[in-house]
Amino acid sequence: MRLVSSTCLAVALALSAGCATTPTASPTALQVQAYQTKEFETDKSLAFGAVISVFQDLGYIVQSADKDTGFITAYSPSKNTTNFFLALGGSQSSGQTKATAFLEQIRPRFTSVRLNFVNSSKISSAYGQSSDTDKPIMDPAVYQNAFDKIEDAIFVRTGTRGAPSSN
């Protein structure tokens, strides 16, 4: 009787452990593109300035920006004192965050913005060797928060664009 009880207990534990360790599926490339991209009702030039402004407001250093291609690269300082990732709704991050933005005029007065954020950290050994580790930020809330800030910047720029200058 004791052998039957022990066997039943072992089987029940094995079955319940198998259920608890179900891996979560990684998002598909199309799902990632969907949360990394947003369309704005504005021209490319205004959206371009808004994205650069948001990057700078959040402490990023704009490394390159080309309005013709619509490509912007930026990075946070190595010692992240601006808490950029926290400002976008993420958790505390050590190391550096790299960001790219691609802006594309998709039809008159509509611009598509695709963002990509990557956490980058440098690991150094006692022997002077170092390696970089880049990990894409896959949290849709981070991208939505960034798009909300870009939308606000576009709104402000649209409201001040037609304002008369005070000379």
Side-chain angles (χ1 to χ4, degrees), residues 86-98:
L86 288 174
L88 288 180
S91 59
Q92 187 72 30
S93 170
S94 63
Q96 189 175 47
T97 305
K98 298 176 184 176

Side-chain angles (χ1 to χ4, degrees), residues 75-149:
Y75 61 93
S76 68
S78 293
K79 186 174 183 181
N80 193 353
T81 57
T82 62
N83 291 323
F84 169 77
F85 199 52
L86 288 174
L88 288 180
S91 59
Q92 187 72 30
S93 170
S94 63
Q96 189 175 47
T97 305
K98 298 176 184 176
T100 59
F102 175 64
L103 288 82
E104 180 177 30
Q105 187 86 37
I106 52 177
R107 59 186 182 274
R109 299 266 321 134
F110 285 88
T111 301
S112 171
V113 177
R114 183 168 183 185
L115 301 174
N116 187 18
F117 297 109
V118 175
N119 276 333
S120 181
S121 59
K122 184 171 270 201
I123 302 169
S124 299
S125 72
Y127 300 106
Q129 295 178 330
S130 66
S131 64
D132 291 332
T133 306
D134 292 337
K135 184 177 178 195
I137 297 172
M138 303 297 276
D139 183 359
V142 170
Y143 292 90
Q144 183 57 52
N145 199 329
F147 286 130
D148 290 346
K149 291 178 185 319

Side-chain angles (χ1 to χ4, degrees), residues 8-89:
C8 288
L9 179 63
V11 169
L13 286 173
L15 289 175
S16 66
C19 294
T21 59
T22 305
T24 58
S26 297
T28 66
L30 196 56
Q31 289 170 323
V32 172
Q33 182 180 355
Y35 67 71
Q36 287 183 338
T37 307
K38 184 168 180 177
E39 187 176 301
F40 295 95
E41 188 174 352
T42 189
D43 60 66
K44 181 179 170 182
S45 181
L46 194 136
F48 192 84
V51 171
I52 288 178
S53 177
V54 167
F55 280 171
Q56 289 177 328
D57 289 348
L58 294 171
Y60 268 82
I61 299 162
V62 176
Q63 186 173 20
S64 66
D66 186 334
K67 196 183 293 188
D68 292 335
T69 63
F71 198 70
I72 303 167
T73 60
Y75 61 93
S76 68
S78 293
K79 186 174 183 181
N80 193 353
T81 57
T82 62
N83 291 323
F84 169 77
F85 199 52
L86 288 174
L88 288 180

